[in-house]
Amino acid sequence: MPGISDRQALIQAVLLQADITHADYLHALATNNDSDDDGDVDDELRDDENITNPDGSTMNSSDSSSTSESSTLLSSSDSEIDSDDSDNMSDDEDEVYAAHMAGFTDLLQIIMETCTINPHEVHKCSQLFLVLVQFKSDDPKRFRQNLRVSPGTFDNLVIRIQDNPVFTNNSHNHQFPVEIQLAIALYRFGHDGNAASVDAIAQWASVSSGLVVKCTVRIIVAFLDLHDSVICWPSDDEKEEAKAWVRSTSCDDWGGGFCMVDGTLVPLFEKPGYHGEGYFDRKSNYSLNIQVSPHRSLRSLCKL
């Protein structure tokens, strides 16, 4: 069982405190009602006792019945109106308080379920179908503009990494297909500045910001597992083939060359967290240096 996070523990404590506060309020309300009932009984008992006149003489309840009846008739209407108003005000306050407490409870319950302080729906329109289906089959140029690779290269990358354990989990909620995760990561790799922000990628793919980060991490892990099989020096046969290609396309003086490379800098969105100074280039940017061998049979070398 996964452990409860500090945020969930705090929210549960708030919910518990809200329930306690509500219970205390209801208890105090019941106590006040009981005390009001006791006060009404005492008033009735005092009304039955002797009544003192202004001149100091007293008269009992039977002698003053006519007087009390007349005064009661005059004040009964006013007391009933005041009592009804106070009861209505008390009932209104109780209903307002109960509604507020119910609203707070519902809000805290939503926070517990979504782990979001201000739950709301973000409207998005995915570009994945446009890129992975329509552009891939009908418009390879725009496919490359989005993902920086050709459709054939994209399919080969999927085949290379689709069996990596990073794309499996012990959960009933399956991950997104490898094609979608690779497309999200490649789109992020191929852009810099504000266009490479997590929110911008999330809007482009119509996914959450957290999924953009997870897809990026998974694709990097899968690529790094391929390092020893795709990043290596050429074999003797590949060297001779490269030399022959150099002689045929240039001159005999360059015929002994097999490892000439050309490179380009791929700027990064921000300074890497680990050994960031090592990525600082001569153009005052943080970047990767991609070096390509001179013959198509040789594997590409990437200096990370």
Side-chain angles (χ1 to χ4, degrees):
M1 293 294 292
I4 187 170
S5 66
D6 294 338
R7 179 183 296 177
Q8 290 175 330
L10 177 61
I11 295 175
Q12 287 183 354
V14 173
L15 280 172
L16 180 61
Q17 184 61 40
D19 291 338
I20 294 174
T21 303
H22 193 199
D24 292 342
Y25 173 79
L26 295 178
H27 178 72
L29 184 63
T31 303
N32 292 334
N33 291 335
D34 293 340
S35 62
D36 292 340
D37 293 340
D38 294 339
D40 294 339
V41 173
D42 294 338
D43 292 339
E44 293 177 358
L45 292 176
R46 284 193 295 269
D47 291 339
D48 293 337
E49 295 178 353
N50 293 333
I51 301 174
T52 303
N53 289 325
D55 57 358
S57 62
T58 61
M59 56 182 178
N60 54 28
S61 59
S62 60
D63 295 334
S64 61
S65 60
S66 60
T67 305
S68 61
E69 288 177 358
S70 60
S71 61
T72 301
L73 291 175
L74 293 174
S75 61
S76 60
S77 59
D78 295 337
S79 62
E80 289 176 358
I81 293 174
D82 295 338
S83 177
D84 292 340
D85 292 341
S86 61
D87 291 342
N88 291 334
M89 292 178 63
S90 178
D91 293 340
D92 292 340
E93 292 177 355
D94 295 342
E95 292 178 359
V96 171
Y97 182 83
H100 285 173
M101 291 301 300
F104 292 152
T105 303
D106 294 340
L107 177 59
L108 291 173
Q109 188 64 35
I110 293 174
I111 294 174
M112 282 285 295
E113 295 175 354
T114 63
C115 296
T116 304
I117 299 299
N118 296 315
H120 65 287
E121 181 180 357
V122 179
H123 300 285
K124 301 175 182 177
C125 184
S126 176
Q127 300 293 305
L128 290 173
F129 178 82
L130 178 66
V131 174
L132 294 181
V133 178
Q134 296 181 340
F135 286 171
K136 186 178 179 181
S137 59
D138 300 332
D139 199 339
K141 179 180 179 180
R142 285 184 170 82
F143 182 90
R144 181 187 290 272
Q145 288 176 350
N146 280 269
L147 303 186
R148 307 300 179 182
V149 296
S150 65
T153 301
F154 181 85
D155 291 337
N156 289 332
L157 290 175
V158 171
I159 294 174
R160 289 260 188 176
I161 66 176
Q162 63 184 358
D163 295 328
N164 194 287
V166 74
F167 298 113
T168 59
N169 52 7
N170 297 322
S171 174
H172 297 292
N173 298 324
H174 299 288
Q175 294 186 20
F176 271 53
V178 178
E179 293 85 353
I180 293 179
Q181 297 194 50
L182 178 60
I184 292 174
L186 290 178
Y187 186 87
R188 189 179 183 187
F189 295 156
H191 294 77
D192 61 354
N194 293 334
S197 66
V198 174
D199 288 340
I201 308 299
Q203 289 287 340
W204 176 82
S206 187
V207 297
S208 66
S209 300
L211 183 60
V212 173
V213 176
K214 289 182 179 180
C215 291
T216 305
V217 173
R218 292 168 185 162
I219 294 300
I220 291 176
V221 171
F223 282 169
L224 289 177
D225 289 344
L226 299 175
H227 179 275
D228 294 341
S229 61
V230 298
I231 307 297
C232 59
W233 290 103
S235 63
D236 292 338
D237 294 337
E238 291 173 337
K239 291 179 182 178
E240 294 302 325
E241 183 180 359
K243 293 177 180 179
W245 178 82
V246 171
R247 285 192 295 268
S248 64
T249 57
S250 58
C251 59
D252 292 338
D253 293 338
W254 288 5
F258 68 92
C259 196
M260 295 179 294
V261 295
D262 188 15
T264 183
L265 296 175
V266 178
L268 301 176
F269 169 64
E270 60 184 5
K271 177 181 178 181
Y274 295 98
H275 308 289
E277 293 77 8
Y279 294 85
F280 195 74
D281 59 29
R282 67 183 186 280
K283 298 182 179 179
S284 299
N285 295 319
Y286 294 97
S287 63
L288 292 176
N289 185 9
I290 304 298
Q291 297 178 343
V292 184
S293 64
H295 193 266
R296 68 183 64 184
S297 66
L298 299 184
R299 299 180 178 91
S300 300
L301 301 177
C302 178
K303 180 181 179 182
L304 301 178

